[in-house]
Amino acid sequence: MASPSPLFLLQILLFAILPSPISPSSINDTPSTYIVSVHPDAVKPSIFPTHSHWYQSSLSSLLSPSPPLLIHTYTGAAFHGFSVKLSPTQALLLRAQPHVLSLLPDRLRRLHTTRSPHFLGLGTSTDSAGLLKDSDFGSDLVVAVLDTGISPDRQSFHDRDLPPVPTKWKGSCVNTPDFPSSSCNRKLVGAKFFCAGYEATNEFRSPRDSDGHGTHTASIAAGRYVYPASTLGYARGLAAGMAPKARLAVYKVCWTAGCYDSDILAAFDAAVADGVDVISLSVGGVVVPYYLDAIAIGAFGAMDRGIFVSASAGNGGPGALTVTNVAPWVTTVGAGTLDRDFPADVKLGNGKVIPGMSVYSGPGLAPGKTYPLVYAGTQAGDGYSSSLCLEGSLDPKFVAGKIVMCDRGINSRAAKGEVVKKAGGIGMILANGVFDGEGLVADCHVLPATAVGATSGEEIRRYISSAKPNSPPPTATIVFKGTRLGVKPAPVVASFSARGPNPESPEILKPDLVAPGLNILAAWPDKVSPSGIPSDHRTTEFNILSGTSMACPHVSGLAALLKAAHPEWSPAAIKSAFMTTAYTVDNRGKTMLDESTGNSSTVMDFGSGHVHPQKAMDPGLVYDLTTFDYVDFLCNSNYTEQNIKVVTRKNADCSGARRAGHSGNLNYPSYGIKQKMSTHFIRTVTNVGDGESVYSARVVAPAGMVATVKPEKLVFRRAGQKLNFLVRVQTRVAKLAPGGSVMKSGFIVWSDGKHNVTSPIVVTLQQPL
């Protein structure tokens, strides 16, 4: 019998997966964009030259006579499928097709260093030893940055003395009117943009950065050495990224309105196909199950190809359950402080000095003179709007010629200063709210201004309100003290840094670790003001920003160094090296503080601790993972086999042995327990240190609990050898009020006298309502 023709095969396929066309009258509901996951076993008929032609033809047959056009076609490097705008009725029809695994709504995401290399122990380019030299500064590695684009003309991205682009690189540099392909060089090896999911307006339709965020994060990860560097005279010194010789590939996915999942997924797909080694993503959103999370899906596809993915933990702190980007195959990075700050103190008329923080270099206040001080919230009218110094809320008669105290919230911190300046105020004190705590962020203000903590803000309000009718009115001035180094304590967990526990997988501790993220100096576009306010026409080569967005590229660049020094290490091995060598004490030798409260921080704040690059270079042992370990984890997390296939593109068998385990048994470098009286963990460690070595276990159980390890010694005969051990934790009944919870933590350390391989143990007990 003759073989059927390709056209006949296509007709069989279409009749098998597509029902009869629907009439236009039945499609009258509002369309939305969906990401369509196509079954990985679905093979494109040979009659179609590309997957795009195949998908579009299928849509035309299903949804004629007015089929929607494809937005993105994903190549299959990180994801198999396409994105398209559909009405709810059309979405239901498409979802019912057997070759369609799922439809994900296109969600909107938000964007969540002269001192940090020194603070992290990386030294300078003239150092004769250490991680930088051993990794050749990351020269042959390509770091992908998914962000707002890049300003290629910044000094941080020059390619002087760099060797040719690695031959493995398959990417390209787009050519647009404002971003010619010549913008790329041996440093910036690739640049693309993705805006089909969000049709950008009034922005560069190119990889060029019109926001500044992407330029900043890219230079933190892999900026070249630049001297001198500063922001308006602050933080003077030698600027450098974590991997100064690593190559950069920039994928612009974020625009004025935010970052759409369909564009982010397209960038993941392109980055994997282009041949990057590390992907850095300082973007986040609401935590959803992994099969509905485009970032988790794209990151899995990258991890499956050996690419390390780091993402910001989010800026929702200091509240609990605020951490985002929580998939275990992603390295989730929170933010800590450096041992540098920018003091700008408030001196009140009563002689009291209130500590503050600011980056301001314009005309200052007269030395030795104090000025009338008012709290904007006491202005007649809408006290709430005026207290926040919102646009148009201040009465010039009330604030002119005075220093105005504004509350933090709603509009940007620098924008409040502009509102005060427009109304005739000569200075501003920006006070944290109770939720913000005592964490201070330095901003490039447009008038003399400083930020103070919540407690200090309340003290200033009391001073203002205590003035008697016949007594001198309250006065103040702001004293700017420039840059201060050697600050103690440091590091401190930043107030805004998102905290655990992990909302999706409580057994997996998130964030994984913290890195410098407060007041970080890095490259900045010359067409964007340092304050980000349109009326501010100042320009600067570098700017100072804060956020877990800044912490994430620190780890991304460090991952490039580790991968360059250990090309055989998997993404999980690199993550393990970071986590098990992280530290939890500050430069006073005490547990890191929580900036929001001033109290000691916990594993829910910092995860395994603060990244330590030099120790991560030689961790001794690593907890390694394969793609199928994550499949087992999803099985034991009660995901359906179809949902697992959406994430992994693998056929999952969740019966039998895989169901016999529990999700906490993932070979992760931390141990998480929730609501169980007795739990055991089976872990496997790989020797990446000395060939013959003996490691002994030391266990510090969570308070009031019992933890044991068997065996207590691991004897390795060679490098690369894997050995198993079992950890058993027995909890005790906790007397809790209905709805109450308690978190206890301990740790386990494997030591051979040279390496200390540390993993936290976290127990969370909760009493139901």
Side-chain angles (χ1 to χ4, degrees):
M1 181 177 178
S3 300
S5 69
L7 180 58
F8 180 70
L9 288 174
L10 170 63
Q11 291 171 336
I12 292 176
L13 173 65
L14 291 176
F15 279 114
I17 70 171
L18 305 177
S20 302
I22 58 178
S23 66
S25 61
S26 65
I27 307 176
N28 53 14
D29 32 14
T30 304
S32 301
T33 300
Y34 293 88
I35 300 167
V36 182
S37 175
V38 175
H39 198 294
D41 295 335
V43 179
K44 176 183 69 65
S46 59
I47 191 173
F48 295 109
T50 67
H51 279 81
S52 294
H53 289 88
W54 180 34
Y55 296 149
Q56 190 64 65
S57 177
S58 300
L59 288 174
S60 298
S61 300
L62 175 63
L63 304 175
S64 62
S66 301
L69 297 177
L70 297 178
I71 296 174
H72 290 295
T73 299
Y74 304 107
T75 66
F79 182 75
H80 193 50
F82 57 92
S83 60
V84 64
K85 183 169 285 189
L86 303 168
S87 70
T89 302
Q90 292 173 315
L92 286 172
L93 284 171
L94 190 58
R95 186 182 284 114
Q97 309 313 309
H99 283 73
V100 172
L101 282 176
S102 70
L103 268 67
L104 284 65
D106 195 9
R107 291 184 173 85
L108 181 64
R109 309 275 181 156
R110 298 294 182 186
L111 293 165
H112 281 150
T113 77
T114 50
R115 189 67 179 173
S116 53
H118 174 83
F119 186 70
L120 292 171
L122 294 182
T124 70
S125 61
T126 59
D127 287 345
S128 59
L131 178 57
L132 286 171
K133 180 185 176 185
D134 292 342
S135 62
D136 190 24
F137 303 82
S139 177
D140 288 335
L141 277 294
V142 181
V143 178
V145 179
L146 279 59
D147 212 296
T148 65
I150 195 167
S151 292
D153 54 353
R154 302 291 82 183
Q155 296 181 69
S156 295
F157 310 126
H158 73 77
D159 67 351
R160 290 189 297 275
D161 303 321
L162 279 183
V165 176
T167 56
K168 67 179 181 180
W169 175 245
K170 301 180 180 64
S172 61
C173 192
V174 300
N175 189 41
T176 70
D178 55 56
F179 199 100
S181 58
S182 58
S183 301
C184 287
N185 55 23
R186 294 191 302 274
K187 176 66 175 179
L188 178 60
V189 297
K192 298 179 180 179
F193 67 99
F194 301 87
C195 64
Y198 162 62
E199 281 300 323
T201 57
N202 299 320
E203 292 186 64
F204 299 117
R205 288 178 177 268
S206 76
R208 186 168 293 277
D209 187 4
S210 60
D211 176 271
H213 192 275
T215 299
H216 202 268
T217 56
S219 68
I220 292 172
R224 301 298 304 277
Y225 291 100
V226 180
Y227 181 85
S230 72
T231 298
L232 307 178
Y234 286 80
R236 290 185 183 276
L238 176 71
M242 297 299 98
K245 289 173 67 175
R247 317 311 172 102
L248 281 165
V250 170
Y251 301 82
K252 184 173 180 177
V253 297
C254 296
W255 308 84
T256 298
C259 328
Y260 278 88
D261 276 355
S262 57
D263 294 335
I264 293 172
L265 196 53
F268 265 110
D269 202 49
V272 173
D274 288 345
V276 306
D277 300 286
V278 174
I279 293 178
S280 184
L281 183 70
S282 293
V283 174
V286 178
V287 175
V288 294
Y290 304 128
Y291 61 87
L292 297 176
D293 186 344
I295 290 178
I297 293 170
F300 192 98
M303 176 279 302
D304 195 28
R305 298 282 286 272
I307 298 168
F308 180 91
V309 179
S310 57
S312 50
N315 298 334
L321 288 166
T322 51
V323 65
T324 66
N325 294 320
V326 296
W329 47 88
V330 172
T331 299
T332 309
V333 188
T337 67
L338 296 172
D339 61 343
R340 176 189 68 194
D341 63 14
F342 311 104
D345 298 339
V346 177
K347 185 174 182 181
L348 300 176
N350 61 8
K352 185 68 182 287
V353 176
I354 306 293
M357 188 93 64
S358 180
V359 175
Y360 175 73
S361 65
L365 302 174
K369 179 181 178 180
T370 60
Y371 299 83
L373 173 66
V374 295
Y375 171 46
T378 61
Q379 175 187 290
D382 183 357
Y384 178 70
S385 295
S386 59
S387 70
L388 295 170
C389 296
L390 301 181
E391 182 66 33
S393 66
L394 298 183
D395 183 354
K397 295 179 181 178
F398 182 70
V399 305
K402 301 172 184 176
I403 294 176
V404 182
M405 180 171 159
C406 304
D407 292 335
R408 186 170 163 181
I410 300 185
N411 57 339
S412 76
R413 298 181 298 270
K416 295 176 189 292
E418 184 185 39
V419 172
V420 171
K421 186 176 182 180
K422 284 181 180 178
I426 61 169
M428 179 183 71
I429 300 170
L430 180 59
N432 283 357
V434 174
F435 186 77
D436 302 308
E438 305 308 311
L440 300 182
V441 177
D443 295 296
C444 295
H445 291 287
V446 295
L447 83 170
T450 189
V452 300
T455 302
S456 297
E458 189 57 38
E459 183 175 356
I460 296 172
R461 290 189 198 92
R462 286 197 301 269
Y463 167 68
I464 295 172
S465 63
S466 66
K468 300 292 188 291
N470 296 323
S471 63
T475 60
T477 190
I478 303 172
V479 181
F480 299 94
K481 297 184 176 181
T483 303
R484 180 172 60 180
L485 302 178
V487 173
K488 292 186 177 182
V492 172
V493 177
S495 177
F496 56 78
S497 187
R499 317 299 169 96
N502 184 335
E504 178 62 15
S505 302
E507 299 84 358
I508 304 298
L509 178 63
K510 291 286 183 172
D512 291 307
L513 71 166
V514 296
L518 185 76
N519 301 330
I520 304 300
L521 182 139
W524 195 249
D526 61 358
K527 294 185 179 179
V528 181
S529 71
S531 68
I533 298 173
S535 63
D536 182 6
H537 300 297
R538 294 174 296 177
T539 60
T540 181
E541 178 84 18
F542 295 89
N543 200 6
I544 294 171
L545 297 184
S546 299
T548 56
S549 284
M550 285 65 248
C552 169
H554 277 88
V555 171
S556 306
L558 294 174
L561 296 182
L562 258 65
K563 193 171 181 68
H566 301 286
E568 74 282 3
W569 283 9
S570 70
I574 294 173
K575 176 195 282 192
S576 175
F578 284 140
M579 292 176 64
T580 62
T581 61
Y583 61 91
T584 60
V585 297
D586 58 28
N587 52 7
R588 307 168 306 165
K590 298 181 180 180
T591 300
M592 284 190 292
L593 298 181
D594 179 346
E595 188 186 39
S596 68
T597 63
N599 300 325
S600 294
S601 54
T602 73
V603 292
M604 292 300 176
D605 307 324
F606 55 65
S608 292
H610 192 285
V611 66
H612 193 309
Q614 294 287 3
K615 286 189 176 181
M617 177 72 171
D618 181 21
L621 306 175
V622 295
Y623 295 75
D624 209 353
L625 285 161
T626 69
T627 297
F628 291 100
D629 291 323
Y630 292 118
V631 172
D632 291 350
F633 162 79
L634 294 172
C635 281
N636 289 315
S637 299
N638 296 318
Y639 277 58
T640 68
E641 293 181 5
Q642 177 162 329
N643 289 340
I644 293 172
K645 189 176 291 186
V646 172
V647 177
T648 68
R649 298 184 292 170
K650 312 285 188 211
N651 291 317
D653 178 9
C654 290
S655 61
R658 289 184 177 174
R659 282 293 190 192
H662 61 88
S663 54
N665 253 350
L666 181 69
N667 200 43
Y668 213 71
S670 61
Y671 304 80
I673 306 168
K674 182 180 180 183
Q675 295 298 99
K676 292 183 179 181
M677 300 310 298
S678 180
T679 303
H680 71 276
F681 302 91
I682 299 173
R683 290 291 194 266
T684 303
V685 285
T686 304
N687 181 20
V688 295
D690 300 328
E692 293 188 6
S693 53
V694 178
Y695 284 82
S696 299
R698 180 169 72 94
V699 183
V700 175
M705 303 173 191
V706 177
T708 58
V709 179
K710 291 184 179 180
E712 296 180 350
K713 288 189 176 181
L714 297 176
V715 180
F716 292 93
R717 303 300 183 192
R718 54 183 170 78
Q721 184 180 359
K722 298 178 182 291
L723 292 176
N724 301 328
F725 62 92
L726 183 143
V727 178
R728 188 178 299 277
V729 180
Q730 290 181 299
T731 66
R732 295 179 180 176
V733 176
K735 294 182 179 179
L736 300 172
S741 65
V742 63
M743 187 277 294
K744 302 288 186 180
S745 66
F747 57 87
I748 177 173
V749 183
W750 288 102
S751 179
D752 66 347
K754 176 182 178 183
H755 307 93
N756 291 307
V757 186
T758 306
S759 295
I761 302 171
V762 188
V763 178
T764 305
L765 301 176
Q766 186 167 4
Q767 183 67 35
L769 289 171

